[in-house]
Every structure is written in C-alpha cells, then in structure tokens.
Amino acid sequence: MRVLLWHVHGSWTTSFVHGAHDYLVPLTPDRGPDGRGRAQTYPWPEAAREVPADRLRDEDVDLVVLQRPHELELAAEWLGRRPGRDVPAVYVEHNTPKGEVPATRHPLAERDDIPVVHVTHFNHLFWDCGRAPTRVIEHGVVDPGYLYTGELPRAGVVVNEPIRRERVAGTDLLPQFAEEAPLDVFGMGVTGLPDHLGIPVGVFEDLPQARMHAELARRRVYLHPYRWTSLGLSLIEAMLLGMPVVALATTEAVEAVPPEAGVISTRVSVLTAALDAFVGEPELARQVGRTARAAALARYGLGRFLSDWDRLIAEVTGDRPAVLTDLLM
C-alpha cells in the first residue's frame, strides 16, 4: 500500500514506517509542522519517502493516516481527494482528551467513514467518539537493545517542553523527587529548567535518539512524572533499555508497568521512597530493569504493532483475503 501520513509524533512514526508499505511523508520548504519530511535524528527505512506538498496530487495514495483535525483539509487540498470519501482514511488519536473530561467529544465523532484508532485503552475509554468506528492499536517500539549500565546513581527523566507543560508533565513535582535522587532531564526545551525550578538539575537538550538512549541507560532509574499523557513512548523505551521505572499511576501507565517492573503510585511519598531504594541498591535496580525490559518486549514489540496495523489497513482499503464469513455470504 501507498500510505500518506504526516511526521507528527516522531517515535510513533518511526515505528509505523518500519512496516511493509510505501510511506509518503509531506515536505514543505520550511520543514514546519505540516511538512517535516523524514526524521532528522533517527534513521528511517527507505520506504518512507519525502514528497513535496505541491506534488502530492501526482501520487497514487491508497490510504491517508490522519493525526490532527486540520489534516482533513490539508489532505483534500494537497491530494485533491477527500479522506474517507474519495480515498480511504483512518485517524490516529495519540492524545488524552482535554476540556470537559471525560465528556470530551472527538473531532470525528459525527463521521462514520473514518475509523478512529486509539493508541491506548485509556484513550478509548475517555474519548467520546460518537458515530465514528473505533479501534485500539497499542504502541509498538523499535527495540534500542539492552543498554543499561546504571553506573550513575541518578534518575533520568524524558520530557519535551517541561516548563510550558508544567502540570501536564509533572514538572512541578521534580523538586520533591530531587530530594531523594539527583535528576537528569532529557528533551526539547529543557535548557532553562534549573533556573525555573530553582534547584540543580542536569539537562540534555534534544539529543539524537541513539545518543539519548545511551546516556539515559547510564542512569540508575527512570522517573516518569506525567500527570496527563496518553502513554509517553519514552517510558516504554526506558523499559526496553533495561531501566527500572518509577511512575505516577495515571492514564495508561498502570497498564504499561507491571508491579515487578518498577513502582507506580499516586502517592508522591511512595515514589520518592522507590527512587531512594533503586538509587541506593544497584543490584535491585538491575534485576527490576531486566523484568521491565521483558514486559515491554512482550506487550509493545514492533512485530505485533505492525501486524495489527496491516490487518486494519487491509480492512479499511478492502484489500484483504476472503475469510469464512465472506465465503458463506
């Protein structure tokens, strides 16, 4: 299949373009939000091809993967075909709802021609999708490999724009965690974090993914302080690296982190105690991290993710082999 999708969520898109299809990624001259093209910090397969936006009308597209409401209009304008009507489409909902939760109405709730694909069961539970058909395809992550050394008695945190997203990302909780373990924060927009918090925090601004993984795996434990996020892929990546996890028991984290893979709780005192224990006991951290890696491989493996998507793509485009119910009709 020839699949059109925008480069919006880097880690998710990296996994998605590892499938067996041809992926058309819009490109604009400024490489802005609607035309980033291929990833610049992670090697994508050659099957993911940049296509200038003004040339998309010349492309034969079998499926449009939408991820933001305004992409409906973008696709119609750039392709000259309306998603869901002139060309098959699905809408991937990456985010938890906002506003009047849990009554938030999905932007596609009034349409029945474009399935909404949730990346977590939590999202499926909380979004009101109305007439739209829905499906859950859980994340799959490219395995970075077991890189854990845990040589640094510090906690690693991965968050983009922690100052702007303070409550969402749990940035305001970091001073309490820092009382138990030194913190190193990785991501975009982290440079001003020490001044913002008024405490010493190590910051690593927007490292290439491979380098970030290697650096993160040197930390003793991974801290996931998010209050309200769908399921940060950095959490799964940390588990795959072999890191023990300490996380707020919110949204999908309670499903992603089994008890033997770390500590999850809504009580900050429980989480700070867990940080202290992992930092102070390297062998405990290593054992729990190995269990975390096994759990992440079992649930969020790339093969399962791509197989789930292949089935949905075949279903939506009508390109599927006959099954028993078809033969009996």
Side-chain angles (χ1 to χ4, degrees):
M1 293 290 166
R2 294 166 66 82
V3 180
L4 170 67
L5 79 158
W6 279 262
H7 178 190
V8 178
H9 295 274
S11 292
W12 183 89
T13 310
T14 293
S15 295
F16 188 75
V17 300
H18 273 78
H21 306 282
D22 292 323
Y23 304 93
L24 310 180
V25 186
L27 176 67
T28 56
D30 63 351
R31 289 191 179 269
D34 291 333
R36 288 195 176 103
R38 287 172 56 90
Q40 304 297 298
T41 60
Y42 191 90
W44 280 4
E46 291 301 317
R49 177 165 59 91
E50 292 180 346
V51 180
D54 60 0
R55 298 183 188 174
L56 278 171
R57 283 178 180 257
D58 300 328
E59 297 288 345
D60 183 17
V61 173
D62 298 304
L63 176 72
V64 178
V65 175
L66 305 162
Q67 300 170 78
R68 300 167 296 175
H70 76 278
E71 290 175 1
L72 283 162
E73 287 71 35
L74 272 183
E77 177 185 351
W78 290 355
L79 281 177
R81 283 159 279 175
R82 297 167 299 175
R85 294 170 183 167
D86 304 320
V87 59
V90 298
Y91 187 105
V92 180
E93 183 50 73
H94 294 279
N95 300 317
T96 46
K98 297 177 176 61
E100 296 293 328
V101 180
T104 310
R105 191 83 164 165
H106 196 274
L108 267 66
E110 303 305 323
R111 298 187 62 158
D112 60 6
D113 56 347
I114 299 179
V116 176
V117 183
H118 295 286
V119 297
T120 69
H121 291 278
F122 181 92
N123 285 4
H124 185 260
L125 182 67
F126 271 72
W127 274 106
D128 176 5
C129 287
R131 299 170 53 207
T134 59
R135 186 75 59 89
V136 177
I137 297 183
E138 293 191 315
H139 288 297
V141 178
V142 177
D143 182 14
Y146 180 76
L147 302 180
Y148 184 73
T149 67
E151 64 199 80
L152 301 178
R154 304 175 68 86
V157 183
V158 178
V159 59
N160 290 328
E161 300 185 75
I163 298 173
R164 182 182 67 83
R165 304 167 65 212
E166 186 161 28
R167 291 285 299 177
V168 167
T171 307
D172 58 305
L173 302 174
L174 294 183
Q176 296 179 66
F177 291 122
E179 292 178 3
E180 299 300 329
L183 304 181
D184 289 326
V185 183
F186 300 78
M188 294 184 289
V190 302
T191 301
L193 191 57
D195 289 340
H196 178 76
L197 295 176
I199 60 173
V201 176
V203 291
F204 296 81
E205 181 71 35
D206 198 20
L207 298 183
Q209 191 174 45
R211 184 180 167 199
M212 185 193 75
H213 286 160
E215 286 293 334
L216 188 61
R218 299 177 63 208
R219 276 68 192 170
R220 186 76 46 84
V221 58
Y222 181 75
L223 172 63
H224 194 69
Y226 283 84
R227 283 188 177 90
W228 191 248
T229 187
S230 177
L231 177 60
L233 288 178
S234 59
L235 173 63
I236 301 172
E237 291 171 355
M239 294 169 69
L240 288 171
L241 292 172
M243 302 183 73
V245 169
V246 172
L248 292 186
T250 55
T251 63
E252 193 76 0
V254 295
E255 290 285 332
V257 184
E260 61 275 15
V263 176
I264 61 172
S265 177
T266 56
R267 296 171 60 185
V268 174
S269 61
V270 171
L271 300 178
T272 55
L275 276 184
D276 181 60
F278 284 131
V279 169
E281 300 183 45
E283 188 52 38
L284 171 66
R286 185 175 300 279
Q287 291 175 1
V288 173
R290 287 187 180 277
T291 303
R293 173 171 167 78
L297 284 171
R299 183 158 187 168
Y300 299 107
L302 189 61
R304 188 273 311 155
F305 171 78
L306 294 175
S307 293
D308 287 352
W309 268 104
D310 281 346
R311 283 190 290 271
L312 180 61
I313 290 171
E315 178 184 323
V316 171
T317 62
D319 182 33
R320 60 189 179 94
V323 295
L324 182 61
T325 52
D326 296 322
L327 297 174
L328 292 176
M329 293 178 64

